[in-house]
Amino acid sequence: NAEYMGNSGLPSCFSPASAKGSSTMLFATKNQTIADLAVRTLEIRWKELDFFTSIFSTMATQGAMLAGFAYTGLTLSMPEDTSVVLQTAYLLFTGLCMGFELCCVTNATFCIMFGPGLALRGPHGHQSVHTAVDVLNRESQTCFRFFMAGLVLFFFSSDLLVWILYSGFTAMVVSIVILAFVCIVCYFGWRLYTVLRVDAPVTGKFQVFQEYETMPDLDASASNGGMPIRSSAGVEMMAAPQQRIRHAKYDLPHQTHPALQYGQPMLQPPQDNVPMRAQRINPFH
């Protein structure tokens, strides 16, 4: 019985060293599980971020090319006998084409620069990643509209340039060819858009794991001198370990049982006028 109970009045399996070691291992295992879950959910979300980044990169490249064509068209010299209405219309469409394409290029460049940066270095953890992906999703639609508007205006500008530089019959033939290719581009573009578009896209955001997405930065918590770290929702998430330990005081003067220094108390405090050794120990309490 003496070997079983030990000096502390508890079974040897509940010695301070055993309780400390098992509790530390449980804490580490639980934290590792939550951290692995957070990393795996972020990996799925990061694939969406890469997808939108590739979209912006493509639109920025094509938009820059069309903007360069439009700028070249603005610098062309026109015949002196060109109609003022025709010159004004040509310069207007060409300037609008360059403007829309520059909006596309600028928007795409900013999204490529700042979107992954917010997801990678944002102060709110998972919420920063969700914000970055949602913003890139929304801005991709705006950037696509800018690109398509500039593309349509580029065809109109090219057609007007033909009427400025060439005679009536030649300009009419070339205009018919340009119009035919505009119809072909619109047909194939609309067909691919209707076939490949996703009306209700599936996102990589997990609704059931939102409680684990507010996990704070452990390094920041430790280097903050034990001050609590708050999540984006303003909830206190983490403090120094010594502030989170729950101690259970016994009625004995100046005595705190070592087995209760980690995790939840395993024993109930002794009742009044009942010796601690006489109480029944329930290790599964």
Side-chain angles (χ1 to χ4, degrees), residues 110-122:
F110 284 172
C111 289
I112 293 175
M113 290 174 56
F114 301 113
L118 175 62
L120 184 63
R121 306 176 63 185

Side-chain angles (χ1 to χ4, degrees), residues 13-257:
C13 61
F14 297 111
S15 62
S18 176
K20 179 178 180 180
S22 60
S23 299
T24 304
M25 180 60 69
L26 288 177
F27 288 155
T29 304
K30 291 170 64 178
N31 292 337
Q32 182 182 4
T33 303
I34 296 176
D36 292 341
L37 176 63
V39 170
R40 290 184 178 273
T41 56
L42 286 178
E43 287 177 353
I44 299 176
R45 202 64 167 159
W46 198 265
K47 292 183 179 180
E48 292 184 88
L49 194 68
D50 291 338
F51 167 72
F52 289 117
T53 302
S54 64
I55 289 178
F56 284 115
S57 178
T58 302
M59 287 192 292
T61 302
Q62 303 302 321
M65 180 184 65
L66 291 179
F69 290 161
Y71 177 78
T72 304
L74 291 175
T75 60
L76 293 177
S77 60
M78 303 180 186
E80 296 181 356
D81 58 345
T82 304
S83 171
V84 177
V85 177
L86 201 58
Q87 289 185 16
T88 304
Y90 168 73
L91 294 176
L92 178 62
F93 281 110
T94 306
L96 289 175
C97 172
M98 187 179 66
F100 278 116
E101 295 302 336
L102 287 178
C103 289
C104 173
V105 172
T106 304
N107 196 12
T109 303
F110 284 172
C111 289
I112 293 175
M113 290 174 56
F114 301 113
L118 175 62
L120 184 63
R121 306 176 63 185
H124 302 304
H126 282 69
Q127 187 60 38
S128 297
V129 179
H130 297 327
T131 302
V133 174
D134 294 340
V135 170
L136 293 185
N137 183 22
R138 183 175 64 251
E139 292 300 322
S140 65
Q141 303 297 326
T142 304
C143 192
F144 179 73
R145 295 188 184 98
F146 284 148
F147 175 78
M148 292 304 299
L151 181 61
V152 172
L153 290 172
F154 176 76
F155 282 115
F156 282 106
S157 174
S158 301
D159 188 47
L160 291 174
L161 182 61
V162 170
W163 284 95
I164 291 174
L165 298 178
Y166 301 100
S167 61
F169 177 76
T170 305
M172 182 178 297
V173 173
V174 176
S175 297
I176 293 175
V177 173
I178 292 177
L179 181 61
F181 276 100
V182 170
C183 294
I184 293 174
V185 170
C186 292
Y187 169 75
F188 282 104
W190 180 254
R191 189 186 69 173
L192 292 175
Y193 178 76
T194 54
V195 172
L196 299 179
R197 70 174 180 179
V198 180
D199 296 327
V202 178
T203 64
K205 184 178 181 180
F206 287 88
Q207 302 294 336
V208 295
F209 296 146
Q210 290 185 357
E211 296 182 357
Y212 300 101
E213 293 181 355
T214 55
M215 185 172 59
D217 190 347
L218 301 180
D219 179 68
S221 175
S223 61
N224 200 28
M227 297 299 294
I229 303 298
R230 295 183 179 272
S231 64
S232 58
V235 182
E236 184 176 303
M237 296 299 302
M238 179 66 67
Q242 60 270 20
Q243 296 179 356
R244 296 185 291 108
I245 296 175
R246 299 182 58 184
H247 297 280
K249 298 290 184 178
Y250 279 83
D251 293 338
L252 300 178
H254 307 291
Q255 182 178 358
T256 302
H257 201 280

Side-chain angles (χ1 to χ4, degrees), residues 1-20 248 250 255-261 265-270 275-283:
N1 292 334
E3 294 179 357
Y4 176 77
M5 298 301 293
N7 297 328
S8 60
L10 291 174
S12 58
C13 61
F14 297 111
S15 62
S18 176
K20 179 178 180 180
Y250 279 83
Q255 182 178 358
T256 302
H257 201 280
L260 303 177
Q261 293 181 1
M266 298 171 59
L267 300 176
Q268 296 292 335
M276 182 176 63
R277 293 175 180 269
Q279 295 185 33
R280 183 177 181 180
I281 299 174
N282 185 7

